[in-house]
Structure formats: C-alpha cells, structure tokens
Amino acid sequence: MKKEQRIKKNEEFSRVFKQGHSVANRQFVLYVLPKEGQVAFRLGLSVSKKVGNAVTRNRIKRYIREVFQSQKDLLAANVDYVVIARKPASDMSLLEVEQSLLHVMRKARILNKKAQFSKKKQG
C-alpha cells in the first residue's frame, strides 16, 4: 500500500470520526467518509496498546492492510476508511481478520457488488 493511501494526521482522523459513519462488530470498528476528487481510497489504522504489545499491534495492522489491498477492486476510490482494532483481534489469524473485516464491510455496504460477483465467476 502506497504512502499516499494512508491517513496519518490527527486532523484527518478527526474529520473521518466526526463526518463519517461507523459500523462495528466485536473485533473491528470501521469508519467510512466519502471524499470527492480522490484517486485512490485512503486507510487509517488505530490499534491501541490495550490490544497487545508492539509485535501484536503491528501484526494486526499488517493483516488489515493486506485485506484492504486484496479487496481494492471492490472498494470505492473516493473514500477514506479508518479501522479501529478491538482486543479480540489480537488472537486472530489472517483468515479470521479477513472474514471479520469483510463482515464489517458488508454491514457498511461499501463492497461493490458487481465486481464481487464477477470475481466469483472468474475464480
């Protein structure tokens, strides 16, 4: 994932929290904010120290980035996403993280259904 696709600044996080809408399950909270004129989606990650040590937090962030990268064809380009990981995410494998994030994405209705359907037909 390119640096331009990451949300890093506190003001940008605050804008997504205040103006976006959120969807959650036990492991993750997903904030979504449509943004006009953006070429690619941007992703911000928040993993608290309560979730685990640095190794655990970095692994969770790596897994989340991997899931978003694998689903990039199904995601709208002009949107900012912020994912907050909760404590149960610390014990999850990549497959479990993917299933949980896809669940939250479906709840938020951000996955492009046509692309998802055609991808299943090809695979």
Side-chain angles (χ1 to χ4, degrees):
M1 188 170 286
K2 297 175 186 161
K3 282 193 176 183
E4 304 89 55
Q5 289 183 272
R6 297 209 184 149
I7 298 173
K8 286 286 192 182
K9 294 184 178 163
N10 193 30
E11 303 88 51
E12 294 172 337
F13 274 97
S14 297
R15 188 178 305 119
V16 175
F17 291 144
K18 288 177 185 169
Q19 298 174 4
H21 71 278
S22 66
V23 179
N25 64 9
R26 290 189 65 228
Q27 296 85 14
F28 299 102
V29 180
L30 174 66
Y31 283 85
V32 180
L33 177 65
K35 218 171 164 199
E36 291 303 316
Q38 211 165 258
V39 181
F41 71 86
R42 295 189 319 154
L43 178 63
L45 301 174
S46 175
V47 185
S48 166
K49 286 185 179 181
K50 292 177 185 177
V51 174
N53 62 14
V55 175
T56 303
R57 295 193 310 269
N58 287 332
R59 179 175 36 84
I60 292 168
K61 289 189 275 190
R62 215 171 37 248
Y63 287 171
I64 294 169
R65 278 190 217 105
E66 175 69 29
V67 171
F68 270 82
Q69 195 63 32
S70 69
Q71 301 298 322
K72 69 181 175 195
D73 296 335
L74 306 179
L75 297 169
N78 59 343
V79 179
D80 282 352
Y81 302 102
V82 173
V83 178
I84 301 173
R86 292 178 167 172
K87 179 75 174 139
S90 62
D91 303 326
M92 297 172 75
S93 68
L94 175 59
L95 182 63
E96 292 169 329
V97 168
E98 182 177 31
Q99 290 171 344
S100 182
L101 278 173
L102 287 174
H103 173 253
V104 172
M105 289 175 181
R106 282 191 297 272
K107 278 178 74 174
R109 293 186 168 92
I110 60 172
L111 292 177
N112 182 348
K113 300 273 192 282
K114 290 177 185 174
Q116 192 176 14
F117 183 72
S118 63
K119 215 174 189 183
K120 283 182 181 177
K121 276 185 128 179
Q122 292 170 2

